[in-house]
Amino acid sequence: MNPVRNRILGCLYGQAIGDSMGMPSELWPRSRVQSHFEWISDFLAGPEENIAANEFERGQYTDDTSQCVALMDAIIECQGQVEPMVVAQHIMNWAQRINAFEKNILGPTSKNALLALQNGTPLEEIEANGVTNGSAMRVAPVGCLMPTQDQDKFIETVRNSCLPTHKSDIAIAGATAIAWAISRAIEGATWEQIKLEIIPLASDVQRRFESTFSPLIGKRILYALAIVYGQQDVHKGLADIYDNVGSGMDMIESIPAALALVELSSTEPTLCAKLAANLGGDTDTIGAMATAICGALHGQEAFDPKHISLINQANDIDFAPYAAALTDFRFS
């Protein structure tokens, strides 16, 4: 297989595997994850007690990857371009198809923005200045699509993918950090190189689109990576991330936490997904972002074929055609 296509496929399956493995513990505190599961080491159905996950079966992914797929469908419709209104329409179609507005599925910023669109508010009039992670959770396809040689074009494409639901400075900056890490991994950069690049990039993007009073996300990424640097005990590393960095839905916690998990797992994709599932907090989203990066670094073969088969069957999906299309667009 073409090495670029292989890394893109690894990224997409990493997204889905991290999401679905983190789904059962989604939005539970770490203590409850430990008391209920002890340690999540495989795919599980959402427990009845978890109102955020109890409708999901084993291997199913959540809104993170569903919106990622909607973004890819929009990219394909637009022949490799990211058009905000087309992205918005595909996300809206998905939300309506699964009755997302009546279920506990959408994050607060996404829900408000999509409801405004549904009620006829023009996209440019929707404030959507929230600081939650809905833009970054779905951004992996932009990292697959866009090379990094033209940084301004890269940032603008990421921004276009964010606009349907998230317009804030930190939402764009966090999504840029995840997409950049994925794209650089696809280009063959090492994790050591990528870490050095995303810290100043994230802060620069946040300053460029300043709209909130959030701390600089690049500084928080640096702090999170330092927390786990050289840590051999993954259980202690998870506790340090949870206690010191945070694992909530806000960008200022979830992006640094995801990147810290890439570091703590030494970029091993399946371990990364397991660590995210046991972290507590926004486990599915953090797992999706972190494992997408690991998958881009190592390619599809880093995953157990049984896991890939489970994802395909449980979600009625095949990421191979998406990977082929994104590869073609990347080089067009």
Side-chain angles (χ1 to χ4, degrees), residues 309-332:
S309 179
L310 174 63
I311 292 295
N312 289 346
Q313 293 173 11
N315 301 281
D316 191 23
I317 194 78
D318 181 0
F319 286 113
Y322 286 109
L326 290 171
T327 303
D328 289 344
F329 292 141
R330 188 178 181 97
F331 289 108
S332 63

Side-chain angles (χ1 to χ4, degrees), residues 230-240 264 275:
Q231 179 61 259
Q232 299 300 311
D233 183 344
V234 294
H235 297 280
K236 183 178 185 307
L238 282 182
D240 287 344
L264 183 62
L275 293 179

Side-chain angles (χ1 to χ4, degrees), residues 299-314:
Q300 180 194 11
E301 66 273 9
F303 295 102
D304 187 331
K306 292 180 181 178
H307 292 174
I308 290 175
S309 179
L310 174 63
I311 292 295
N312 289 346
Q313 293 173 11

Side-chain angles (χ1 to χ4, degrees), residues 26 128 265 295:
E26 178 185 3
S265 66

Side-chain angles (χ1 to χ4, degrees), residues 119-167:
N119 291 330
T121 305
L123 181 60
E124 60 273 12
E125 294 180 13
I126 298 173
E127 184 176 354
N129 204 39
V131 297
T132 49
N133 55 24
S135 59
M137 74 184 191
R138 65 171 180 254
V139 81
V142 179
C144 297
L145 171 72
M146 295 297 296
T148 62
Q149 290 91 334
D150 187 337
Q151 188 178 96
D152 287 340
K153 184 177 180 181
F154 186 95
I155 293 167
E156 186 60 22
T157 305
V158 170
R159 178 174 173 269
N160 284 338
S161 78
C162 299
L163 289 179
T165 57
H166 292 73
K167 298 180 180 180

Side-chain angles (χ1 to χ4, degrees), residues 63 67 91-92 94 101 105-117 123 126-138 162-172 211-212 249-251:
D63 60 320
Q67 288 197 34
I91 295 174
M92 181 71 74
W94 159 77
F101 298 108
I105 292 176
L106 291 166
T109 306
S110 295
K111 186 174 184 177
N112 290 338
L114 291 174
L115 281 172
L117 285 171
L123 181 60
I126 298 173
E127 184 176 354
N129 204 39
V131 297
T132 49
N133 55 24
S135 59
M137 74 184 191
R138 65 171 180 254
C162 299
L163 289 179
T165 57
H166 292 73
K167 298 180 180 180
S168 73
D169 51 357
I170 197 167
I172 298 167
S211 62
T212 70
M249 292 188 294
D250 284 358
M251 282 283 188

